[in-house]
Amino acid sequence: MSIDLGGFSKGDEVARETFSLTRDHLVRYAGASGDFNPIHYRDDVAKTVGLEGVLAHGMLTMGVAVSPILSWLGESGSVRSYQVRFTKPVYVPVEEGATLTSVATVMKPLEAIYISLSLSLTVHISLSHSLSICLCLCLCLTACRPAVVPPVCL
């Protein structure tokens, strides 16, 4: 399926997906990435350094957050730029874990000169299904048609 990247307006939602993160995910990610900082698996260490508890790795959060966009794009384009500014940590409680909902909306419609579409991605975090926090990743994704490589993807 091919997506017409020119058919979107600012504010259009293009992708949404919900994920669960558990402590098991954090330990497995630590093994895969080599990031064994104990703030990602030990509450006592996390609290000693002023955190509320164990938090997810930033790169894990980024990977989970962008996956709905990659699924949506399919063969229609590729992500050429991915910048993130984390505004809140993703805490992962030992029993219930954390639920993240990734929502991608059009931030800047297609520009013919660059053949790119900029998207904004927001992740909502739900802990214990009672508290909902908005984690604005301030993410700018640029999806470019793969056949054309623009001089600059902004």
Side-chain angles (χ1 to χ4, degrees):
M1 180 177 87
S2 180
I3 298 169
D4 175 14
L5 296 178
F8 297 100
S9 300
K10 184 175 182 174
D12 287 350
E13 183 178 306
V14 297
R16 174 185 292 261
E17 195 168 340
T18 299
F19 307 91
S20 293
L21 279 182
T22 65
R23 294 282 178 95
D24 186 53
H25 291 116
L26 302 186
V27 170
R28 290 172 186 264
Y29 184 82
S33 69
D35 181 353
F36 292 102
N37 187 326
I39 64 170
H40 299 302
Y41 59 90
R42 289 187 47 192
D43 283 303
D44 61 327
V45 174
K47 289 179 181 177
T48 300
V49 297
L51 299 168
E52 293 175 24
V54 164
L55 56 106
H57 300 77
M59 294 297 286
L60 173 60
T61 304
M62 288 173 62
V64 167
V66 77
S67 65
I69 292 171
L70 299 175
S71 298
W72 168 74
L73 267 177
E75 298 296 317
S76 297
S78 60
V79 175
R80 300 286 185 177
S81 175
Y82 185 32
Q83 297 97 33
V84 177
R85 181 174 59 87
F86 294 101
T87 57
K88 295 203 184 304
V90 177
Y91 290 107
V92 183
V94 69
E95 294 297 323
E96 64 272 11
T99 301
L100 286 72
T101 301
S102 183
V103 181
T105 55
V106 175
M107 185 172 77
K108 191 174 184 183
L110 184 79
E111 290 183 3
I113 190 168
Y114 296 118
I115 311 173
S116 66
L117 176 73
S118 293
L119 304 175
S120 173
L121 184 63
T122 303
V123 177
H124 300 274
I125 306 161
S126 178
L127 302 172
S128 306
H129 305 290
S130 61
L131 174 65
S132 184
I133 316 167
C134 177
L135 170 68
C136 296
L137 295 180
C138 301
L139 183 75
C140 179
L141 299 172
T142 304
C144 300
R145 292 183 186 148
V148 179
V149 179
V152 179
C153 251
L154 299 175

